[in-house]
Amino acid sequence: MSCAAAATFDLVPCLKRHSTTTAINHLPLPKPFVRCRFSHSPSSASFSVGPLYSTPANNRSRCFNGSRSFYCSALKSQPSASLGAQTNTASEEERVVVLVIGGGGREHALCYALQRSPSCDAVFCAPGNAGISNSGNATCISDLNILDSAAVISFCRKWGVGLVVVGPEAPLVSGLVNDLVKAGIPAFGPSAEAAALEGSKNFMKNLCDKYGIPTAKYKTFTDPSAAKQYIQEQGAPIVIKADGLAAGKGVVVAMTVEEAYEAVDSMLVKGIFGSAGCRVIVEECLEGEEASFFALVDGENAIALESAQDHKRVGDGDTGPNTGGMGAYSPAPILTEELQSLVMKSIILPTVKGMAAEGCKFVGVLYAGLMIEKKSGLPKLIEYNVRFGDPECQVLMVRLESDLAQVLLAACRGELSGVSLSWSPGSAMVVVMASNGYPGAYEKGTVIRNLEDAEHVAPCVKIFHAGTAQDSDGNFIAVGGRVLGVTAKGRDLEEARDRAYQAVDEINWHGGFFRRDIGWRALPQKQFATKG
């Protein structure tokens, strides 16, 4: 089957944006199904972020999943134009209705960028969240089961969805993209087989071994005694990772051998991560600076996105346990043009080639978590995610000026060789506000106030919602660990930081906390505190 079972659809519904409604039965009826085409052309301000890389042509590759087999290939259509800044002149673009799968801060940022896409007629988000719905960035479909492929396909057919963008890892690993593409619905994201790059750290490490991709030395274990013996031989600090998906919490950086033993027991003996922790990877602890690198991949070609850097630890100065991410900024000074080129050539491109050689082309976002080693200054791969990172997606989406819908469609069709990306100048920063107790047990239901005031306290501020709902009085309440992504743009990183923390300071939420030093590696240290 094909990544985009048809190059274009003959029937595309022209839905006007109706983004503030939260239930499907309140949606406006679509206009009659007709093809809608409007004109846009790339701006002369468009530029490429690094070169575009291609693997050797291979029209079709077969992927196997037990007894089930299918074909993943990108169906070529007419050549794509370069997609630069949004204007309203010459070249032809199709209109599209988009469904975003997920309900976190990453998905809110994707909805925000898609709503700004000139070729996007409407944006749905399932299940979405209260903040996405109230912001007007998408129509949220809260009762659509995103793990039920049949239900998602039925919704897409009913509402003429021409592109599905899958945000979280769980639907990817469960095969939602496989089923959508088989049904003839273009879906941006990897197949279940290709999603193993994130779904199994052992799979990723084996691929690195086979194709010469630089990564930390490691061994994989299912027996706790054998794992402990290896830890004793290697010494501390050392890293223990659950093999499968553990919601960003399956990594322990053990500073002592005893801590490493405890991590092994918690995963292999106590089973705190269930089946995800039935196998563990024991890995050398790399010393250096972490960075996030993103590339769009269409199965054969890869194009780099702008650089970004995350803050994984919960506490200031990168202390405390790992989290899903407490803040990020873009661009990241550590990722120079030379280093980005090296990452593409030594890590991203060999991965794209390797996946194709293994019989399963990768289509989607490759998010490489990197360590820039202190001793050598060279990048090593820590892990892959097969989706946009959260919170890095927030700073990337506020800076992206290209038509995101058309860029992602080009990836689905194997046409990234015709794409360049346009970004706003300056910098962006996001500060994550989390519920007290996160990443451990945290309180739910605490009220958050002054969000509207916070978005207007400084220019270029956007608050993305990750874990919010509304109570019976219409107040926003916290229902997740990471709750808000307070994002700002500025002429430089310092201005972006100041604006983001001005907005954070305006928010009245006694049940939450945030790091006060986002960007500390790139800027002089400056501490921020909430009022009162």
Side-chain angles (χ1 to χ4, degrees):
M1 68 182 179
S2 163
C3 238
T8 58
F9 288 110
D10 288 331
L11 301 177
V12 180
C14 296
L15 291 176
K16 289 186 176 179
R17 284 199 183 93
H18 184 81
S19 355
T20 57
T21 325
T22 55
I24 186 64
N25 58 342
H26 295 147
L27 288 172
L29 291 175
K31 293 181 180 180
F33 288 165
V34 295
R35 173 171 292 285
C36 304
R37 287 193 177 275
F38 290 77
S39 293
H40 301 283
S41 73
S43 161
S44 58
S46 171
F47 62 95
S48 295
V49 179
L52 182 125
Y53 298 81
S54 298
T55 62
N58 181 4
N59 291 332
R60 190 161 74 172
S61 58
R62 193 163 189 170
C63 308
F64 294 92
N65 179 14
S67 60
R68 173 186 176 195
S69 67
F70 61 95
Y71 290 97
C72 355
S73 66
L75 185 66
K76 299 286 183 182
S77 102
Q78 55 195 1
S80 293
S82 174
L83 301 169
Q86 300 165 4
T87 59
N88 291 313
T89 53
S91 82
E92 197 177 54
E93 279 181 7
E94 68 185 283
R95 310 293 294 174
V96 66
V97 175
V98 183
L99 169 64
V100 175
I101 299 293
R106 167 185 49 233
E107 289 75 37
H108 192 175
L110 290 169
C111 290
Y112 170 77
L114 287 163
Q115 187 200 33
R116 290 159 50 224
S117 296
S119 67
C120 190
D121 270 334
V123 184
F124 295 107
C125 187
N129 62 46
I132 296 173
S133 177
N134 279 270
S135 69
N137 294 136
T139 299
C140 291
I141 316 300
S142 58
D143 58 352
L144 180 59
N145 183 357
I146 62 175
L147 296 177
D148 182 347
S149 294
V152 174
I153 290 167
S154 175
F155 177 87
C156 290
R157 287 176 172 161
K158 178 177 180 179
W159 293 97
V161 171
L163 173 65
V164 178
V165 181
V166 185
E169 63 272 29
L172 292 170
V173 173
S174 69
L176 177 60
V177 168
N178 302 33
D179 296 329
L180 286 166
V181 173
K182 187 175 181 181
I185 300 167
F188 180 77
S191 65
E193 290 74 13
L197 275 174
E198 179 174 358
S200 170
K201 295 178 181 65
N202 186 59
F203 175 88
M204 185 272 286
K205 286 287 195 177
N206 287 339
L207 191 83
C208 289
D209 283 349
K210 188 170 182 179
Y211 294 97
I213 300 164
T215 188
K217 184 176 72 172
Y218 76 102
K219 279 195 175 181
T220 302
F221 299 93
T222 56
D223 175 43
S225 298
K228 290 177 183 178
Q229 178 63 36
Y230 181 73
I231 289 167
Q232 188 176 39
E233 293 168 1
Q234 299 301 310
I238 198 163
V239 181
I240 316 299
K241 296 180 177 180
D243 177 53
L245 299 176
K249 299 175 184 176
V251 178
V252 175
V253 181
M255 302 309 294
T256 66
V257 168
E258 289 70 26
E259 284 180 25
Y261 288 170
E262 289 175 11
V264 167
D265 284 340
S266 68
M267 296 179 197
L268 292 181
V269 179
K270 298 177 183 176
I272 63 167
F273 298 122
S275 60
C278 289
R279 181 165 52 187
V280 300
I281 287 80
V282 181
E283 185 177 274
E284 73 169 313
C285 186
L286 299 175
E287 185 180 0
E289 188 168 346
E290 289 189 43
S292 304
F293 190 93
F294 297 87
L296 299 181
V297 182
D298 68 4
E300 296 178 359
N301 308 303
I303 185 168
L305 300 182
E306 266 283 19
S307 62
Q309 190 160 17
D310 189 14
H311 296 66
K312 287 291 186 190
R313 298 297 189 99
V314 72
D316 289 357
D318 289 339
T319 57
N322 274 332
T323 70
M326 294 299 295
Y329 54 92
S330 172
I334 185 70
L335 283 169
T336 62
E337 286 187 16
E338 292 177 344
L339 197 53
Q340 289 183 64
S341 179
L342 180 59
V343 170
M344 288 296 290
K345 291 175 182 176
S346 67
I347 295 176
I348 301 296
L349 186 55
T351 300
V352 176
K353 283 181 169 180
M355 292 297 286
E358 291 301 309
C360 197
K361 290 183 179 181
F362 184 95
V363 175
V365 175
L366 271 180
Y367 161 23
L370 305 175
M371 179 68 76
I372 313 303
E373 279 202 289
K374 187 175 181 179
K375 290 181 181 178
S376 66
L378 297 176
K380 282 190 174 180
L381 179 65
I382 300 173
E383 64 177 358
Y384 267 131
N385 288 345
V386 296
R387 56 204 160 89
F388 286 100
D390 186 347
E392 298 96 329
C393 186
Q394 286 84 314
V395 290
L396 292 174
M397 291 303 105
V398 297
R399 293 192 60 213
L400 182 68
E401 293 185 342
S402 299
D403 186 323
L404 181 61
Q406 291 301 312
V407 171
L408 301 186
L409 278 171
C412 289
R413 294 169 179 165
E415 295 173 352
L416 280 180
S417 59
V419 172
S420 65
L421 299 176
S422 182
W423 303 89
S424 66
S427 300
M429 179 177 287
V430 57
V431 178
V432 170
M433 300 187 75
S435 295
N436 289 336
Y438 176 81
Y442 54 84
E443 184 181 357
K444 295 182 180 180
T446 54
V447 176
I448 307 167
R449 303 187 190 277
N450 290 1
L451 290 177
E452 187 173 348
D453 291 342
E455 277 202 326
H456 294 95
V457 73
C460 303
V461 172
K462 173 67 179 176
I463 298 175
F464 295 110
H465 290 239
T468 63
Q470 283 186 294
D471 63 17
S472 56
D473 296 322
N475 298 311
F476 282 108
I477 58 172
V479 294
R482 293 186 300 158
V483 177
L484 300 170
V486 183
T487 309
K489 290 197 296 181
R491 289 167 296 183
D492 52 31
L493 190 54
E494 187 168 11
E495 184 173 66
R497 176 187 65 181
D498 290 346
R499 288 174 172 177
Y501 278 104
Q502 271 185 272
V504 167
D505 193 46
E506 197 69 22
I507 295 170
N508 182 357
W509 180 28
H510 297 297
F513 74 99
F514 58 94
R515 276 185 59 165
R516 296 168 173 83
D517 65 344
I518 301 303
W520 72 272
R521 291 184 181 274
L523 288 169
Q525 292 195 33
K526 184 174 180 179
Q527 295 287 308
F528 294 84
T530 54
K531 293 177 182 175

